[in-house]
Amino acid sequence: MNVNDKRPVAFITGASRGIGRGIAVELARHGYDIAGSSRVLDSQNSESGILEVKQRVEESGAAFLAVQGDVSTLDDHDRMIKTIVDHFGRIDLLVNNAGVAPGQRLDVLETTPESFDRVMSINSRGPFFLTQRVARQMLAQVQSAPGIKPKIIFITSVSAYMSSTSRAEYCLSKAALSMAAAIFADRLSECGINVYEVRPGIIKTEMTATVQEKYDRLIEEGLIPQGRWGLPEDVGKAVVALVSGGFEYSTGAVIEVSGGMNIRRL
């Protein structure tokens, strides 16, 4: 079968829960096979984690490959890519989703080097070098099958431009990732590989569970114009829209999924 006739393949980092899970499920519903990475593959747990995502994806008629790997460990990158290409033969879409919050929210005057390095390594450094490697794979695919149009999406955050003094390292990591999206969009535009950035706002996931009461109150007070929490599937639907062919002349585009937090209001 010609490479152009196969189902497209999406490589999603951090696919075992939250936003990554939402993206995997939505892409599977819209014709993509999925390779989802997770730091831990627990073969005994089908109720949550990567195996639960696999079940949901396969319910849509898509194939799912669970790939063990830590995005912050650069030595894992080539192995993950090889595993996916050996299995599916291609990577059509990279979604840089894996990310962490600080283990403890501290005032910027108390931010520790250890927390800074951990967050930057997972949220910025790892995705940058993974994208570098996947882009090379995509370039090889384009050269061998000129009709295909690979894409790359960076999942950043409204924290790329909004200050949170109790998690400075997170804001800095997302600002860096936002610039990485722009740089790769610039470099790969001549190669037919479009790059986009999706900025989620306040999304209901395990990462935000510890501050749910705080954001429930802020949303009730009007923080979000659309008046509700965002959901992982909201982000997944934005990703689907970007890869469905309607944004071919929009490389470098930034799509915010925040219920209107980007609106300047008095």
Side-chain angles (χ1 to χ4, degrees), residues 67-102:
V67 183
Q68 189 280 325
D70 184 339
V71 69
S72 69
T73 302
L74 303 192
D75 288 344
D76 283 0
H77 293 180
D78 285 339
R79 176 181 53 78
M80 289 193 290
I81 293 167
K82 184 177 187 304
T83 298
I84 296 165
V85 174
D86 284 351
H87 186 84
F88 287 116
R90 61 197 284 177
I91 298 174
D92 297 274
L93 171 64
L94 169 65
V95 182
N96 282 304
N97 167 74
V100 295

Side-chain angles (χ1 to χ4, degrees), residues 92-155:
D92 297 274
L93 171 64
L94 169 65
V95 182
N96 282 304
N97 167 74
V100 295
Q104 181 181 7
R105 292 187 176 215
L106 294 173
D107 183 86
V108 63
L109 301 181
E110 305 296 332
T111 301
T112 66
E114 293 78 14
S115 180
F116 184 95
D117 290 346
R118 168 181 172 268
V119 172
M120 293 296 289
S121 179
I122 296 170
N123 292 5
S124 302
R125 181 176 182 268
F128 177 88
F129 285 105
L130 178 63
T131 301
Q132 185 185 75
R133 286 168 167 78
V134 173
R136 293 171 183 161
Q137 169 64 31
M138 290 177 168
L139 287 171
Q141 292 172 189
V142 169
Q143 290 170 1
S144 63
I148 67 172
K149 296 181 178 180
K151 295 175 176 62
I152 297 170
I153 295 180
F154 288 80
I155 306 298

Side-chain angles (χ1 to χ4, degrees), residues 1 3 63 81 85 93 108 114 119 131 135 137 139 142 159 162-163 165 170 184 205 210 214 216 241 249:
M1 182 181 292
V3 68
I81 293 167
V85 174
L93 171 64
V108 63
E114 293 78 14
V119 172
T131 301
Q137 169 64 31
L139 287 171
V142 169
S159 293
M162 297 180 73
S163 169
T165 59
Y170 183 79
F184 278 106
T205 66
T210 58
K214 169 188 173 181
D216 281 344
Y249 195 56

Side-chain angles (χ1 to χ4, degrees), residues 23 26 29 54 77 106 142 176 196-197 226 230 240-241 245 256:
I23 294 170
E26 290 297 326
R29 289 181 58 239
K54 174 180 169 69
H77 293 180
L106 294 173
V142 169
Y196 308 103
E197 177 185 351
Q226 289 189 252
V240 168
E256 184 158 319

